[in-house]
Amino acid sequence: MITMIKTSLKLIFRTKLLWLFMIIAPILSVLILKSKTEYTAFADSAKEIVELESPDEKIAYNGGKGEYTVKVYDAAANRLSDRLLNDLVETGLFVICRADMSGMDVTDDIIDEHIRFDAFEDRMGAALYIPADFDEKVLEGEADNALKAYVLSDDEREDALVAELNLQLSAMTGILDMYKAYGVSDMDADDLIEKMDDTKEYFPEKKAITIAGGGDTLLTAKQNNQKSKMGYAFVFMTLASVFCGFFVAFTSITEQKNGVLTRIGLSKASMLSYFASKIVTVFIISVMLTAVEAVCSLALVMEDLGMGRSEFILMIFLMGLIFSSISMFVGTVMGEVMSASMASFTIWVVSALLSGCYFPIEFSGKALKTLSYMMPQKWFIDGTEMLLVGDSGALSMLICITAAYVLVTLSLGSMGLKVRKA
């Protein structure tokens, strides 16, 4: 078995492309980890009104974490409409996206056209239309007819939106009626807002607290950015590992074509020991790749990653070992260079997409979330979350996952070679 390992390493070290992947991939991953990019897909929900550049702008991505998004066509765009929308935001229940239509010639036909577009081409919970005479209707006591609401989904949270709108408009009407009863009948919008501010001190202070659901980890905005950067770094590191594993598989393909595998089969060596030698070779290559990453990581400030250097290096090594083993298994069993390289690349692309390296999948469908747990990167992204919040069980979990993947790969690989030989 030692002879087989030495022979494989000699062939692999002659491959110049191996050294290229070993150097470029760690450098690219470190550059990503050093970047100061803010990843909005992982950011916290908006705590203020989201101002749209135009009424035609889509708002689908503003509800990336499953928030109830509301698009507002604001033809008034004054202090009173601002007050209403800010009060909706302060509830913590909605994401309000406003399109300023003040100064435009807005008709019912134009609004209807926008609503049809929202219903079929965008994604939101509801839309609001605040007409230009919003102030006048509220001050005249016609708050019930001061705006229009359009329900554009079957989300049951629409009841909360309607209730909150009724509450806010009723509060405006109630304050007007109260002051009219005292003989104050010439209030304008600024007066109404001032009176609303005066009454606000009598209400209990609101504090929105976000909690994690069962099995979820609650991260801050900074930790979400750290997690997302790690996800993109994983993409480059797994690509290097995939092709390092393919180079090991290439030696096996060459040995199969040259009859070496047949001679091994005629000897006392078993297919299990032969494939185990390839796993050991993959282990050595993964150690080398991790060593390069460790040197490159000296350029990183580990506090910015939210974990220790040893934890970071161990994660890179374990993930590299998994992908090198899988790539080597696929190439060895397929026995053909072009097919093996395409299969390895496909595994890398699909696993990165379905694991959440590029975008969060926490709020996707149940089937997709279940499928994602078959992807190795998903476990390492979860492990990153655990490390960011100080969970000491993260590394032991990742070691067990790695051992499981490698053992399954070893078993399937030896069986696959027996089938090919038969």
Side-chain angles (χ1 to χ4, degrees):
M1 183 173 174
I2 295 177
T3 303
M4 290 187 286
I5 295 172
K6 290 181 178 179
T7 303
S8 297
L9 289 175
K10 288 179 181 179
L11 292 174
I12 292 170
F13 290 158
R14 294 173 185 172
T15 307
K16 296 179 180 178
L17 199 58
L18 170 72
W19 303 105
L20 182 65
F21 275 104
M22 277 196 175
I23 295 173
I24 291 181
I27 291 176
L28 289 176
S29 65
V30 167
L31 289 176
I32 289 176
L33 293 172
K34 284 180 67 68
S35 67
K36 301 298 182 181
T37 308
E38 296 290 329
Y39 296 92
T40 56
F42 293 85
D44 289 336
S45 302
K47 298 298 186 297
E48 58 185 17
I49 299 173
V50 179
E51 300 291 352
L52 305 178
E53 294 183 0
S54 73
D56 298 324
E57 184 178 344
K58 292 185 179 181
I59 70 166
Y61 296 111
N62 289 283
K65 287 189 172 183
E67 297 91 344
Y68 192 84
T69 51
V70 181
K71 187 173 185 179
V72 181
Y73 297 98
D74 191 355
N78 51 33
R79 288 191 64 195
L80 200 55
S81 66
D82 283 348
R83 178 55 181 265
L84 173 65
L85 299 180
N86 277 301
D87 284 344
L88 289 177
V89 172
E90 286 181 6
T91 63
L93 300 175
F94 319 106
V95 174
I96 304 297
C97 304
R98 176 170 59 185
D100 188 344
M101 302 184 74
S102 60
M104 299 182 182
D105 185 13
V106 183
T107 64
D108 290 341
D109 291 338
I110 292 176
I111 294 300
D112 290 343
E113 182 180 348
H114 278 292
I115 296 301
R116 281 194 296 270
F117 177 84
D118 294 338
F120 294 103
E121 304 295 337
D122 205 347
R123 183 177 180 181
M124 65 191 71
L128 299 179
Y129 168 51
I130 301 178
D133 59 351
F134 175 71
D135 285 18
E136 298 174 10
K137 289 185 177 180
V138 171
L139 294 173
E140 291 173 359
E142 299 178 10
D144 291 342
N145 301 317
L147 57 78
K148 292 182 180 179
Y150 303 85
V151 177
L152 301 177
S153 73
D154 57 357
D155 194 317
E156 295 182 357
R157 287 176 291 181
E158 70 181 73
D159 295 336
L161 175 63
V162 173
E164 188 63 31
L165 283 172
N166 289 333
L167 176 62
Q168 300 297 341
L169 294 173
S170 298
M172 295 179 185
T173 303
I175 291 174
L176 285 170
D177 291 341
M178 181 180 66
Y179 279 93
K180 283 181 181 179
Y182 286 99
V184 181
S185 58
D186 57 347
M187 291 180 61
D188 58 15
D190 291 337
D191 293 331
L192 175 58
I193 292 174
E194 182 181 349
K195 302 305 180 186
M196 292 173 67
D197 290 336
D198 292 340
T199 59
K200 209 168 187 181
E201 63 181 84
Y202 298 105
F203 290 92
E205 183 180 354
K206 294 181 180 179
K207 185 177 181 181
I209 300 176
T210 304
I211 60 174
D216 294 331
T217 304
L218 182 61
L219 302 179
T220 64
K222 179 181 178 181
Q223 290 170 335
N224 273 320
N225 274 302
Q226 292 169 336
K227 168 191 167 184
S228 57
K229 285 196 290 187
M230 285 294 294
Y232 286 112
F234 286 162
V235 171
F236 286 102
M237 292 308 302
T238 52
L239 177 62
S241 299
V242 163
F243 279 96
C244 286
F246 170 73
F247 294 140
V248 178
F250 178 73
T251 64
S252 178
I253 294 172
T254 303
E255 290 167 351
Q256 293 178 45
K257 291 184 177 181
N258 293 338
V260 175
L261 187 61
T262 302
R263 292 195 293 273
I264 291 175
L266 295 174
S267 66
K268 295 182 180 180
S270 63
M271 289 297 103
L272 181 61
S273 62
Y274 173 76
F275 200 80
S277 71
K278 299 301 180 184
I279 291 288
V280 174
T281 304
V282 163
F283 181 89
I284 296 173
I285 298 298
S286 297
V287 170
M288 294 173 59
L289 182 60
T290 305
V292 177
E293 180 70 26
V295 173
C296 293
S297 71
L298 296 176
L300 297 173
V301 178
M302 300 312 297
E303 288 77 9
D304 294 340
L305 299 185
M307 64 182 70
R309 194 179 306 275
S310 58
E311 296 169 336
F312 171 73
I313 296 302
L314 181 59
M315 286 181 64
I316 294 298
F317 169 70
L318 294 176
M319 187 174 58
L321 183 59
I322 290 176
F323 272 92
S324 296
S325 301
I326 293 175
S327 179
M328 182 270 296
F329 156 71
V330 172
T332 301
V333 173
M334 294 188 73
E336 202 276 318
V337 175
M338 184 59 69
S339 299
S341 61
M342 292 302 297
S344 298
F345 186 75
T346 301
I347 290 173
W348 172 72
V349 172
V350 173
S351 62
L353 284 173
L354 297 181
S355 63
C357 285
Y358 292 116
F359 48 83
I361 60 173
E362 286 83 355
F363 299 95
S364 59
K366 184 177 180 180
L368 182 58
K369 286 194 288 187
T370 302
L371 183 62
S372 71
Y373 278 101
M374 298 179 63
M375 311 301 155
Q377 299 102 313
K378 172 61 177 174
W379 294 98
F380 284 86
I381 289 177
D382 287 352
T384 299
E385 290 186 355
M386 295 169 68
L387 289 173
L388 290 175
V389 298
D391 192 333
S392 59
L395 294 180
S396 58
M397 181 269 288
L398 294 178
I399 291 173
C400 291
I401 290 297
T402 302
Y405 273 105
V406 172
L407 288 175
V408 170
T409 302
L410 177 61
S411 302
L412 293 178
S414 59
M415 290 174 58
L417 285 176
K418 286 183 180 179
V419 171
R420 282 187 58 83
K421 182 182 175 182

